[in-house]
């Protein structure tokens, strides 16, 4: 492996605690998906028990991927996460292309989408027109930026509060739902009614709801002993989310009839209203707002670490600006500002959903390559005593790779044009990469 060191790892303050790292994992996974996806998954699965099985299967695939990447994270505990791992395992070109799409499009577009979601759900309590929603989206984005610039601890504290807050409505629905005497969601539905295609589509729906956990690896440079911390928070965090998702769906099945769950675009809110009365809708909407806020904070916090790490390597345009750590606060302030500025552009242009859709296929190529990287890692690096190693190797990474390949094939068949455009956007980074290499005079 490379002996190159990343100066950011020593200059960034090691202020991320175990609990804050856990909050990043849980907070970035649990967004609005759990409140909105149960009906879609159930419709594809065809029965409540197959739906639960789909959530478990999606969780197992996610956990297998997480455990595999955790071994790489333990061996290469560098800031930048997957970008840094791919650079080490596959070379600078592959690493740069991922960093390129993450820093310029994927992360800021996702941040913009979450900021707009925050403003949209806030309209439940405070009606707004389109421009007012955009202004609120930018306002909350600037607040999150300020907190993360002043101190990573503030960002971590917001993440802890938001993650705890988002679990309140989830726990409320689970508690009241599981105690409910009736089970309308299970009534009149017997047997296993989904075909292979329907069950596969159900699993695909759950995988989107499990996405986001890998963002915590971007923060490795700011953790104490990341080689031990990262595997633990990834394992515990993803396992916790699997349990929460299964219990949440069981509660919904005990609160609503099968037909209502399938037909409703907001089954979580409907379940809350059925269980808690007229205030249930407001309760769950408030929970979604807090949930989205946590995801927004997590995405902006982790997003900035990619361009900052690329700046440290000198392979990004304006590397001198992006690599700088604030002399007083010890945070990647310039990279945070860069990501926020791009997100604001995407908010006002309204292009964030289009951009994120275009890059789904490409990002899963890189993600699947990351899981496969554990095989490359074991060939390149001798096992270190006491270092985390993925259990049930090679079965575990194979399960993760299979899940990634399934998403890739499904996405390509469903949206071939968008997938090809995404590849084109990614390859557009090659001229930038070679220009930066030429300027720096470094050999490939």
């Amino acid at each position: 492996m490379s002996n190159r060191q990343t100066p950011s790892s020593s200059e960034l303050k090691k202020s991320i605690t175990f609990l804050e790292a856990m909050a990043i994992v849980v907070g970035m996974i649990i967004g609005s998906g759990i409140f909105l996806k149960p009906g879609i998954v159930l419709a594809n699965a065809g029965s409540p028990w197959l739906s639960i099985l789909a959530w478990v299967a999606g969780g197992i695939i996610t956990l297998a991927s997480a455990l595999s990447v955790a071994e790489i994270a333990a061996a290469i505990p560098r800031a930048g996460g997957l970008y840094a791992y791919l650079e080490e395992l596959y070379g600078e070109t592959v690493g740069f292309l991922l960093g390129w799409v993450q820093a310029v499009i994927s992360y800021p577009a996702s941040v913009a989408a979450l900021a707009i979601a925050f403003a949209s759900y806030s309209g439940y309590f405070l009606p707004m027109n389109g421009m007012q929603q955009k202004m609120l989206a930018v306002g909350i984005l600037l607040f999150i930026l300020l907190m993360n610039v002043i101190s990573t601890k503030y960002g971590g504290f917001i993440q802890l509060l938001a993650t705890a807050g988002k679990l309140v409505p989830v726990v409320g629905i689970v508690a009241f739902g599981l105690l409910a005497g009736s089970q309308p969601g299970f009534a009149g539905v017997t047997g296993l009614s989904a075909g292979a295609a329907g069950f596969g589509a159900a699993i695909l729906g759950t995988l989107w709801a499990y996405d986001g956990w890998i963002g915590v690896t971007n923060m490795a440079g700011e953790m104490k002993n990341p080689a031990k911390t990262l595997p633990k928070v990834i394992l515990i965090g993803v396992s916790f989310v699997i349990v929460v998702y299964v219990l949440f769906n069981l509660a919904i099945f005990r609160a609503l009839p099968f037909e209502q769950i399938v037909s409703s675009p907001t089954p979580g809110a409907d379940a809350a209203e059925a269980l808690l009365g007229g205030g249930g809708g407001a309760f769950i909407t408030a929970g979604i707002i807090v949930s989205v806020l946590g995801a927004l904070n997590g995405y902006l916090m982790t997003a900035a670490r990619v361009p900052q790490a690329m700046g440290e390597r000198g392979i990004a345009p304006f590397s001198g600006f992006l690599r700088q750590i604030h002399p007083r606060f010890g945070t990647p302030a310039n990279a945070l500002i860069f990501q926020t500025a791009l997100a604001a552009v995407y908010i006002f242009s309204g292009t964030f959903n289009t951009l994120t859709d275009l890059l789904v296929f490409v990002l899963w190529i890189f993600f699947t390559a990351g899981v496969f990287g554990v095989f490359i890692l074991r060939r390149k690096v001798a096992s270190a005593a006491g270092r985390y190693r993925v259990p049930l190797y090679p079965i575990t990474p194979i399960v993760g790779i299979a899940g990634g390949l399934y998403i890739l094939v499904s996405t390509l068949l469903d949206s071939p044009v968008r997938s090809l455009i995404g590849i084109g956007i990614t390859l557009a980074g090659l001229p930038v990469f070679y220009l930066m290499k030429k300027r720096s005079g470094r050999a490939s």
Side-chain angles (χ1 to χ4, degrees):
M1 299 296 288
S2 169
N3 290 322
R4 292 172 297 183
Q5 298 297 317
T6 305
S8 62
S9 296
S10 59
E11 294 176 9
L12 288 166
K13 290 183 177 179
K14 292 188 176 294
S15 56
I16 297 294
T17 66
F18 181 88
L19 281 179
E20 288 165 348
M22 186 73 66
I24 291 172
V25 174
V26 175
M28 289 185 69
I29 298 177
I30 302 179
S32 58
I34 182 57
F35 301 105
L36 308 176
K37 283 286 186 183
I40 298 172
V41 174
L42 179 59
N44 285 312
S47 76
W49 289 116
L50 272 179
S51 174
I52 294 297
L53 187 60
W55 283 100
V56 173
I60 290 173
I61 291 171
T62 302
L63 187 59
S65 301
L67 292 172
S68 302
V69 173
E71 178 171 335
I72 303 174
I76 315 172
R78 282 177 42 196
L82 187 59
Y83 147 70
Y85 309 154
L86 295 186
E87 183 185 68
E88 289 281 3
L89 297 173
Y90 295 94
E92 280 189 319
T93 305
V94 175
F96 176 87
L97 290 178
L98 173 61
W100 160 262
V101 295
Q102 282 186 326
V104 177
I105 302 175
S106 174
Y107 270 133
S110 296
V111 167
L114 287 165
I116 284 291
F118 176 90
S120 298
Y121 285 113
S122 297
Y124 181 93
F125 301 101
L126 181 65
M128 292 173 280
N129 60 35
M131 180 53 67
Q132 289 171 332
Q133 284 189 352
K134 290 181 178 180
M135 295 302 295
L136 176 59
V138 172
I140 192 64
L141 186 55
L142 291 175
F143 169 74
I144 297 296
L145 167 67
L146 179 62
M147 292 298 99
N148 279 277
V149 166
I150 293 175
S151 173
T152 300
K153 291 295 293 181
Y154 288 163
F157 184 65
I158 292 173
Q159 195 65 31
L160 275 172
L161 285 181
T163 301
K166 75 172 59 182
L167 290 176
V168 171
V170 173
V171 171
I173 290 176
V174 168
F176 283 95
L178 295 183
L179 292 175
S182 61
Q183 302 183 44
F186 294 99
V189 181
T190 59
L192 303 180
S193 53
F199 186 65
I203 293 176
L204 188 63
T206 69
L207 288 174
W208 302 135
Y210 281 112
D211 193 27
W213 61 268
I214 202 169
V216 72
T217 62
N218 295 1
M219 309 296 295
E222 291 150 274
M223 294 181 188
K224 297 176 180 178
N225 198 359
K228 289 187 176 181
T229 302
L230 276 173
K232 287 181 181 179
V233 298
I234 289 172
L235 171 60
I236 298 173
V238 174
S239 299
F240 174 77
V241 172
I242 294 173
V243 173
V244 168
Y245 280 5
V246 169
L247 291 177
F248 187 83
N249 278 271
L250 283 172
I252 287 180
F253 296 149
R254 295 177 70 92
L256 300 174
F258 179 94
E259 295 77 10
Q260 184 177 354
I261 299 171
V262 171
S263 62
S264 174
T266 55
D270 292 348
E273 189 165 346
L275 293 168
L276 306 174
F283 177 66
I284 201 70
T285 301
I288 292 176
I289 291 172
V290 175
S291 186
V292 170
L293 178 65
L296 171 61
N297 181 74
Y299 266 87
L300 183 60
M301 178 189 293
T302 58
R305 273 62 186 180
V306 175
Q308 195 276 331
M310 294 178 73
E312 285 288 354
R313 312 293 274 184
I315 62 170
F318 312 107
S319 288
F321 173 81
L322 293 172
R323 73 162 62 101
Q324 291 181 17
I325 305 300
H326 196 284
R328 178 180 176 185
F329 303 129
T331 58
N334 290 355
L336 283 162
I337 292 170
F338 169 70
Q339 294 288 273
T340 301
L342 280 178
V345 170
Y346 295 150
I347 286 172
F348 283 112
S349 66
T351 59
F352 45 88
N353 282 330
T354 301
L355 291 170
T356 52
D357 289 345
L358 288 174
L359 290 176
V360 167
F361 182 73
V362 167
L363 290 173
W364 274 93
I365 291 176
F366 288 119
F367 182 74
T368 306
V371 178
F372 183 80
V374 73
F375 294 105
I376 300 174
L377 177 75
R378 292 207 176 188
R379 287 206 313 266
K380 286 188 172 184
V381 181
S383 176
R387 195 182 71 210
Y388 167 82
R389 289 169 70 83
V390 59
L392 300 178
Y393 178 91
I395 297 173
T396 300
I398 289 174
V399 171
I401 292 167
L405 291 176
Y406 176 68
I407 290 180
L408 287 172
V409 172
S410 299
T411 304
L412 184 59
L413 293 176
D414 182 61
S415 309
V417 175
R418 284 191 305 194
S419 300
L420 292 174
I421 293 174
I423 291 175
I425 292 172
T426 304
L427 295 179
L430 282 176
V432 179
F433 172 72
Y434 290 122
L435 177 62
M436 293 305 300
K437 295 267 299 175
K438 185 176 180 181
R439 284 184 178 180
S440 65
R442 291 188 293 138
S444 73

